[in-house]
């Protein structure tokens, strides 16, 4: 279906169902139960899952296929956000032109940065992209924000003010980002079943539709001759060169495509919340997408989405657990025991969520070099149990063998 | 006029004259071997032919066109394929994918943005790849990871990849280096078969005299960066200068 083989069609349908039903799936606990804080089915977080999923899918086209590790992809995300907010300021709050411009601007930006950075490979490429991203951050944070020429509004962040032109804006349209009048931040359905309540948000479903579309596109790219060439770049550039293929335009095309994915993600961030700040371009943001991709499984189709969800979940849920919550959990224990447990777990919760994430990341990289996807495959293999491993070579074709991606 | 004409090529690395006034003419549809002791400049010469190095002076013409200053991929597109000393294949890919990549390069050129059609629908490419694999008796290994092939099969795959491009000149850099005797003989038979079945010129750099004398129709002997003699294998065997420079006292 849709030009995909049956295995890929199944994967696409599963992803589409997960994304569409996410408001149910992510809210498994009744609202007033003790576990309700593990619910992730609220619009703001779901939007982040999907937006960073798009970001990571795009990053994976570059890193997963060609092995070029960019440490500057947040620059494209930030550029996309700025472009979108400028569209809000100048045209109107409609998200279509905003998102379109953010993709175009990110594409132009990535042509420039990619053209220069791809003259080198390996660690030098990573350093070049990092340098470009940090320059972009500096430009956005201070240089391009002065009274004479204020493009980015510095540390305050770019936002829409009542005095902005908004030439296409008129009475009757909401004063927030909208899609032809449908406000992104509004919820269209808030059902309550017994103790459970769910939220269906307009903005989330816009992001969801786009995620399914770009996920489909990435499957097509993975299975195309172009995708095969990108894997050839990663495998052996020398052989490629002596086989009459010019690796440079292939890598540049992959770089630009992944830059456009990042621009789309940036545009969507702004469409959900019309604000663009320079911190979105900082190197930690670039590092985050690298972590997402490796954690989920670089070079696999679904891995980056899983990785993005995993990290965003930790960032938002674990960081909210505090000592009071822990005391509640361990209240069944004798007093001294309870305090001890809280003392032991304290560094790993709240602001210490980075510590937990770091430990999990280490565990995954050491024991599951293929990321969460490899974990899933191993579990599936366990369930298949005694049945003989079937089509090993076929698997190798679709999922590159677990290799130390981090070392590249 | 040969298909490959090397004229007055000089290459110097600092104080070392790697190649001094090399002249070489490879005739179409022959097997031409270049032999010489270690450090004679064989690999330097080969690298000058494929665009990895640019000679300081002189000219290298392939089929009437200069190859100097061109990128390796451009030279490949002109019709020169190269086999490396240690097999260079796409180790992360399957045998079939390894075969399809040169077929795409042959059909679509150095770059083609073919991002939306499925690989599985490229019937002409698949057919061509399978045809060459069958020729090389490797069709049963088509779904194997190429990194897991034996050394001899890797060499065979690399040669198959080159042949799938239907090159006019096949350059082999010590194709049997480090091989066991049986593998070496297999490779000799394979190259003989290739030569018999198609119009192809083969230039081979080799250490192993057994390989050279079983295959070559012409031999150029290189010593200290300069060609000593060029002749048929029979004459080379008895040539006093060659004995002195290369075969040593024992021969």
């Amino acid at each position: 279906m849709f030009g995909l083989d049956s295995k890929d069609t199944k994967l696409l349908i599963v992803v589409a169902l997960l994304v569409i039903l996410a408001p149910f799936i992510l809210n498994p606990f009744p609202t007033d139960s003790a576990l309700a804080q593990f619910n992730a089915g609220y619009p703001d977080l779901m939007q982040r899952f999907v937006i960073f999923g798009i970001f990571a899918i795009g990053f994976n086209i570059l890193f997963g296929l060609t092995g070029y590790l960019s440490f500057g992809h947040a620059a494209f995300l930030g550029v996309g956000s700025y472009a979108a907010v400028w569209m809000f300021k100048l045209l109107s709050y409609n998200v279509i032109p905003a998102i379109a411009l953010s993709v175009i601007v990110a594409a132009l930006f990535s042509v420039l940065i990619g053209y220069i950075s791809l003259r080198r490979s390996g660690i030098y490429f990573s350093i070049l992209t990092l340098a470009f991203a940090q320059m972009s951050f500096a430009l956005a944070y201070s240089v391009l924000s002065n009274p004479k020429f204020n493009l980015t509004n510095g540390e305050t962040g770019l936002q829409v003010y009542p005095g902005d032109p908004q030439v296409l804006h008129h009475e009757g349209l909401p004063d927030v980002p909208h899609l032809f009048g449908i406000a992104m931040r509004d919820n269209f359905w808030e059902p309550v079943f017994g103790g459970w309540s769910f939220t269906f948000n307009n903005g989330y479903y816009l992001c969801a539709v786009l995620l399914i579309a770009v996920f489909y596109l990435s499957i097509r790219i993975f299975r195309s001759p172009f995708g095969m060439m990108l894997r050839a770049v990663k495998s052996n550039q020398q052989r490629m060169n002596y086989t009459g293929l010019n690796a440079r335009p292939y890598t540049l095309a992959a770089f630009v495509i992944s830059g456009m994915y990042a621009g789309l993600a940036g545009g969507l961030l702004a469409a959900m919340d019309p604000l663009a700040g320079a911190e979105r371009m900082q190197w930690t943001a670039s590092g985050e997408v690298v972590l997402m991709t490796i954690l989920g499984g670089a070079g696999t189709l679904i891995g980056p989405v899983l990785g993005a969800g995993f990290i965003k979940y930790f960032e938002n849920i674990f960081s909210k657990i505090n000592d009071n919550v822990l005391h509640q959990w361990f209240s069944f224990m004798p007093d001294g025991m309870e305090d001890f447990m809280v003392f032991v777990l304290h560094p790993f919760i709240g602001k210490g969520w980075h510590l937990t994430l770091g430990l999990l990341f280490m565990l995954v990289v050491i024991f599951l070099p293929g990321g969460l996807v490899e974990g899933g495959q191993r579990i599936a293999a366990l369930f298949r149990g005694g049945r003989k491993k079937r089509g090993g070579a076929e698997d190798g074709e679709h999922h590159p063998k677990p290799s130390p991606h981090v070392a590249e | 006029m040969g298909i490959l004409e090397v004229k007055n090529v000089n290459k110097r690395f600092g104080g070392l004259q790697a190649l001094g006034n090399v002249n070489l003419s490879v005739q179409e549809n022959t097997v031409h071997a270049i032999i010489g002791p270690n450090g004679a400049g064989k690999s330097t010469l080969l690298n000058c032919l494929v665009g990895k190095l640019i000679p300081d002076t002189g000219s290298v013409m392939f089929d009437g066109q200069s190859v100097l200053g061109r990128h390796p991929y451009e030279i490949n597109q002109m019709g020169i394929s190269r086999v490396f000393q240690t097999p260079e294949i796409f180790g992360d890919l399957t045998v079939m994918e390894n075969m399809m990549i040169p077929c795409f390069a042959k059909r679509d050129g150095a770059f083609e943005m073919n991002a939306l059609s499925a690989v599985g629908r490229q019937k002409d490419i698949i057919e061509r790849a399978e045809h060459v694999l069958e020729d090389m008796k490797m069709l049963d290994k088509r779904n194997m990871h190429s990194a897991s092939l034996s050394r001899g099969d890797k060499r065979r795959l690399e040669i198959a990849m080159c042949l799938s491009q239907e090159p006019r000149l096949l350059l082999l850099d010590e194709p049997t280096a480090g091989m066991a005797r049986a593998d070496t003989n297999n490779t000799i038979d394979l190259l003989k078969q290739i030569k018999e079945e198609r119009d192809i010129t083969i230039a081979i750099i080799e250490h192993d005299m057994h390989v050279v004398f079983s295959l070559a129709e012409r031999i150029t002997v290189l010593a200290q960066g300069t060609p000593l003699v060029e002749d048929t294998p029979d004459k080379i065997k008895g040539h006093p200068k060659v004995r002195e420079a290369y075969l040593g006292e024992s021969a």
Side-chain angles (χ1 to χ4, degrees):
Chain A
M1 213 191 340
F2 318 118
L4 303 179
D5 65 20
S6 63
K7 203 172 155 191
D8 291 338
T9 311
K10 258 184 245 160
L11 182 66
L12 181 66
I13 290 172
V14 168
V15 168
L17 284 177
L18 285 178
V19 170
I20 290 167
L21 299 177
F24 289 122
I25 297 167
L26 293 173
N27 260 4
F29 307 113
T31 318
D32 48 4
S33 72
L35 291 171
Q37 60 189 314
F38 288 108
N39 281 342
Y42 53 94
D44 185 48
L45 183 54
M46 287 195 298
Q47 288 164 2
R48 272 165 196 280
F49 283 159
V50 168
I51 291 171
F52 282 90
I54 293 173
F55 189 20
I57 291 172
F59 185 77
N60 189 41
I61 291 176
L62 179 71
F63 174 55
L65 290 177
T66 69
Y68 277 74
L69 176 53
S70 161
F71 258 110
H73 258 52
F76 308 128
L77 186 87
V79 162
S81 286
Y82 280 118
V85 176
W86 268 111
M87 273 329 238
F88 293 150
K89 284 166 89 74
L90 298 176
L91 272 185
S92 81
Y93 264 129
N94 194 329
V95 296
I96 298 284
I99 291 172
L101 188 76
S102 52
V103 175
I104 293 166
V105 172
L108 296 176
F109 227 69
S110 50
V111 169
L112 178 76
I113 294 182
Y115 184 80
I116 299 168
S117 304
L118 287 167
R119 304 188 149 266
R120 291 281 169 270
S121 61
I123 190 80
Y124 303 102
F125 168 80
S126 303
I127 297 293
L128 280 172
T129 50
L130 178 61
F132 269 111
Q134 283 304 84
M135 285 195 280
S136 310
F137 170 70
L139 282 175
Y141 195 74
S142 52
V143 182
L144 293 179
S145 161
N146 54 58
K148 278 185 202 142
F149 182 71
N150 191 354
L151 192 66
T152 61
N153 211 18
E155 51 186 305
T156 320
L158 192 65
Q159 45 192 300
V160 184
Y161 295 111
D164 286 330
Q166 296 203 295
V167 291
L168 295 180
H169 195 67
H170 56 81
E171 283 299 308
L173 284 177
D175 248 341
V176 289
H178 62 81
L179 180 70
F180 303 112
I182 307 168
M184 288 293 110
R185 68 175 185 199
D186 287 355
N187 304 325
F188 62 86
W189 194 32
E190 291 172 273
V192 178
F193 304 113
W196 285 265
S197 68
F198 305 99
T199 318
F200 289 78
N201 172 264
N202 292 330
Y204 170 73
Y205 277 94
L206 176 72
C207 299
V209 167
L210 285 170
L211 175 100
I212 295 166
V214 298
F215 183 69
Y216 168 69
L217 189 66
S218 105
I219 301 182
R220 292 294 294 261
I221 290 175
F222 265 62
R223 301 290 180 247
S224 71
F226 175 69
M228 197 159 90
M229 294 303 173
L230 297 184
R231 286 190 294 137
V233 169
K234 181 177 181 177
S235 185
N236 191 340
Q237 278 209 41
Q238 163 122 307
R239 176 32 85 198
M240 200 170 171
N241 214 350
Y242 286 96
T243 306
L245 293 161
N246 188 358
R248 188 78 65 79
Y250 282 107
T251 45
L252 183 61
F255 192 88
V256 174
I257 291 171
S258 72
M260 289 165 79
Y261 271 70
L264 173 65
L268 282 172
L269 276 179
M272 298 304 116
D273 179 15
L275 183 79
E279 75 287 344
R280 229 164 249 184
M281 298 174 130
Q282 223 168 352
W283 67 276
T284 46
S286 298
E288 197 179 55
V289 74
V290 179
L291 293 190
M292 288 173 180
T293 310
I294 294 172
L295 192 65
T300 61
L301 284 165
I302 185 80
V305 187
L306 296 179
F310 195 85
I311 287 185
K312 284 292 154 195
Y313 186 82
F314 267 83
E315 183 184 308
N316 289 280
I317 303 295
F318 257 71
S319 61
K320 280 198 199 114
I321 303 174
N322 55 30
D323 283 4
N324 289 337
V325 178
L326 285 184
H327 276 293
Q328 269 176 33
W329 287 357
F330 297 112
S331 57
F332 64 90
M333 290 176 171
D335 263 1
M337 204 47 183
E338 181 187 327
D339 289 343
F340 177 73
M341 287 306 289
V342 173
F343 173 77
V344 167
L345 290 177
H346 175 79
F348 297 96
I349 54 158
K351 282 185 179 145
W353 72 273
H354 277 115
L355 196 58
T356 315
L357 182 68
L359 286 172
L360 285 169
F361 186 74
M362 280 164 56
L363 289 176
V364 167
V365 169
I366 293 170
F367 294 107
L368 297 171
L372 297 174
V373 168
E374 194 192 337
Q377 283 167 347
R378 286 200 193 170
I379 292 169
L382 275 183
F383 274 108
R384 261 185 263 141
R387 250 196 293 166
K388 224 177 166 203
K389 214 176 90 189
R390 152 189 78 82
E394 186 192 63
D395 260 13
E397 185 180 341
H398 293 300
H399 307 288
K401 66 175 183 330
S403 54
H405 293 291
V406 194
E408 277 156 2
Chain B
M1 189 75 175
I3 187 166
L4 183 73
E5 290 282 341
V6 178
K7 288 229 169 72
N8 298 321
V9 162
N10 284 278
K11 181 74 194 175
R12 183 176 270 285
F13 297 112
L16 175 78
Q17 181 85 30
L19 295 175
N21 273 330
V22 175
N23 287 291
L24 177 71
S25 172
V26 176
Q27 300 303 313
E28 202 159 0
N29 290 328
T30 58
V31 179
H32 195 125
I34 298 159
I35 63 172
N38 279 329
K42 303 183 299 286
S43 295
T44 309
L45 176 61
L46 186 86
N47 284 333
C48 288
L49 305 182
V50 294
K52 193 169 186 187
L53 291 175
I54 299 176
D56 300 332
T57 60
S59 71
V60 178
M61 305 288 277
F62 174 69
D63 198 23
Q65 278 182 297
S66 175
V67 305
L68 297 188
R70 290 181 200 255
H71 289 285
Y73 69 85
E74 291 171 313
I75 294 173
N76 174 279
Q77 291 282 357
M78 289 166 76
I80 303 182
S81 281
R82 175 185 181 174
V83 173
F84 287 80
Q85 199 168 335
T86 38
E88 291 278 354
I89 53 176
F90 301 109
D92 300 336
L93 275 54
T94 65
V95 168
M96 190 61 186
E97 287 171 324
N98 266 276
M99 287 305 298
M100 289 171 80
I101 286 168
C103 296
F104 277 118
K106 173 83 177 168
R107 191 189 74 182
D108 299 336
F111 174 70
E112 171 78 34
M113 188 71 201
N114 202 350
L116 292 178
S117 69
V119 169
R121 302 208 171 165
Q122 310 284 323
K123 298 278 181 251
D124 54 328
I125 298 283
I126 293 174
E127 229 167 73
R128 189 187 183 119
E130 281 177 345
H131 179 75
V132 180
L133 273 183
E134 195 169 9
D135 244 23
M136 306 293 275
K137 303 186 182 68
M138 286 189 74
L139 200 54
D140 54 324
K141 302 195 171 75
R142 52 173 294 164
N143 287 328
M144 270 177 79
H145 237 286
S146 65
S148 58
L149 292 174
S150 71
R151 170 80 186 251
D153 276 342
K154 280 182 185 162
R155 165 68 68 224
R156 196 173 267 266
L157 173 61
E158 193 187 22
I159 293 174
M161 288 163 72
C162 290
L163 289 180
S164 71
Q165 299 194 296
E166 293 171 8
R168 299 189 53 202
L169 174 62
L170 182 63
L171 292 176
L172 298 143
D173 187 1
E174 300 197 26
T176 63
M179 271 190 190
R181 199 77 206 166
D183 277 339
T184 302
N185 287 333
N186 283 339
T187 309
I188 293 173
D189 293 341
L190 178 68
L191 291 171
K192 275 185 178 160
Q193 179 206 336
I194 289 165
K195 186 70 199 64
E196 269 163 32
E197 284 172 1
R198 47 198 104 204
D199 292 332
I200 192 170
T201 314
I202 298 178
I204 179 168
I205 284 179
E206 189 52 80
H207 247 5
D208 189 330
M209 287 300 114
H210 172 59
V211 178
V212 172
F213 288 119
S214 345
L215 284 170
E217 295 158 64
R218 299 286 296 179
I219 296 177
T220 298
V221 182
L222 218 56
Q224 286 161 354
T226 319
L228 279 183
V229 262
E230 189 197 311
D231 219 323
T232 58
D234 290 340
K235 298 230 173 97
I236 291 287
K237 266 183 198 165
H239 204 288
K241 257 178 152 179
V242 179
R243 282 170 171 245
E244 187 192 319
Y246 189 75
L247 301 175
E249 299 302 318
S250 61

